[in-house]
């Protein structure tokens, strides 16, 4: 049985989630390198009697979406499943990423004593240390569109589409059994 209408609903859901997630990244100022933006993908896979949908993104996307609790404070992301300082992550990964971000943005702190600009490395280190200790606030750039899309497409349209596919299958079987 081909689930034509069901697959159409799943494709609309997929496209909505990806488009809204990308929009959230851009509006939220989290689209510096476009790596996460470009990595957002969705796929609908169907066989004769089932269809599934899956989403993928760059590895760090889940940290941007859900946030990360800091080593010394969980205030920014108290409900996040992720935490800095567990020893499971790549050593120096945060510092390298922040240094790259600081350089792309041309962002530098000033030294309090003499007013001179700090180097990108110094600025990156200070920001990385602060993020490591305090955490990352969740952006929910993917979660919110997923939940909204679920209500919009899955909760409302999926059962109708499934009914249409069943009706089509019954009509086909009735025509071909005579």
């Amino acid at each position: 049985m081909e689930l034509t209408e069901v697959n159409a609903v799943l494709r609309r859901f997929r496209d909505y989630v990806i488009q809204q997630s990308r929009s959230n990244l851009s509006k939220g100022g989290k689209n510096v390198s476009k790596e996460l933006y470009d990595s957002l993908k969705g796929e609908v896979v169907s066989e004769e009697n089932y269809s599934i949908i899956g989403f993928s993104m760059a590895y760090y996307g889940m940290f941007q979406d859900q946030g990360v609790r800091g080593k010394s404070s969980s205030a920014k992301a108290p409900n996040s499943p992720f935490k800095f300082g567990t020893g499971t992550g790549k050593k120096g990964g945060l510092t390298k990423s922040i240094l790259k971000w600081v350089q792309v943005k041309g962002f530098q702190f000033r030294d309090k004593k003499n007013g001179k600009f700090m180097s990108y490395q110094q600025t990156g280190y200070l920001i990385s240390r602060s993020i490591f200790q305090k955490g990352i606030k969740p952006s929910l750039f993917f979660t919110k569109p997923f939940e909204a899309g679920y209500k919009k497409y899955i909760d409302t349209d999926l059962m109708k589409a499934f009914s249409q596919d069943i009706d089509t299958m019954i009509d086909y079987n009735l025509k071909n059994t005579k």
Side-chain angles (χ1 to χ4, degrees), residues 86-106:
T86 60
T88 58
K90 181 179 164 186
K91 299 288 182 203
L94 176 64
T95 305
K96 288 177 188 172
S97 299
I98 296 297
L99 175 58
K100 184 177 168 184
W101 176 80
V102 164
Q103 289 172 332
V104 168
K105 288 288 196 178

Side-chain angles (χ1 to χ4, degrees), residues 2-178:
E2 182 70 29
L3 299 172
T4 308
E5 297 299 320
V6 168
N7 289 336
V9 169
L10 292 176
R11 285 191 298 275
R12 286 195 305 271
F13 170 64
R14 173 200 63 197
D15 295 344
Y16 174 84
V17 171
I18 291 172
Q19 186 274 325
Q20 291 296 308
S21 296
R22 286 177 173 167
S23 177
N24 287 346
L25 284 172
S26 296
K27 289 178 186 174
K30 299 195 179 294
N31 198 17
V32 175
S33 69
K34 291 197 102 181
E35 181 184 347
L36 182 55
Y37 182 98
D38 291 338
S39 75
L40 284 166
K41 305 273 188 269
E43 185 177 8
V44 176
V45 177
S46 56
E47 291 292 329
E48 269 188 40
N49 57 357
Y50 73 90
S51 294
I52 58 173
I53 185 167
F55 292 96
S56 63
M57 67 179 84
Y59 177 70
Y60 67 91
M62 58 187 161
F63 304 122
Q64 283 290 338
D65 184 60
Q66 297 294 308
V68 182
R69 292 177 284 143
K71 176 139 175 90
S72 62
S73 171
S74 295
K76 284 190 176 181
N79 299 322
S80 175
F82 310 112
K83 180 177 173 137
F84 284 118
T86 60
T88 58
K90 181 179 164 186
K91 299 288 182 203
L94 176 64
T95 305
K96 288 177 188 172
S97 299
I98 296 297
L99 175 58
K100 184 177 168 184
W101 176 80
V102 164
Q103 289 172 332
V104 168
K105 288 288 196 178
F107 189 72
Q108 291 176 286
F109 289 141
R110 287 186 181 260
D111 189 317
K112 287 182 181 178
K113 294 177 187 169
N114 59 22
K116 290 184 180 180
F117 284 109
M118 293 181 175
S119 69
Y120 288 128
Q121 287 77 13
Q122 291 168 317
T123 301
Y125 172 77
L126 290 173
I127 292 172
S128 296
R129 186 178 67 184
S130 176
I131 290 172
F132 184 80
Q133 293 298 323
K134 297 176 184 175
I136 299 172
K137 183 179 176 184
S139 68
L140 304 176
F141 78 91
F142 181 81
T143 300
K144 285 183 178 180
F146 184 89
E147 290 172 350
Y150 194 91
K151 287 178 186 171
K152 184 175 183 174
Y153 294 103
I154 305 302
D155 280 351
T156 58
D157 296 347
L158 192 62
M159 289 308 290
K160 292 176 197 169
F162 191 66
S163 294
Q164 289 173 335
D165 283 339
I166 297 239
D167 289 344
T168 302
M169 181 190 73
I170 290 170
D171 290 344
Y172 176 80
N173 286 338
L174 288 173
K175 287 177 186 175
N176 290 327
T177 55
K178 291 182 179 180

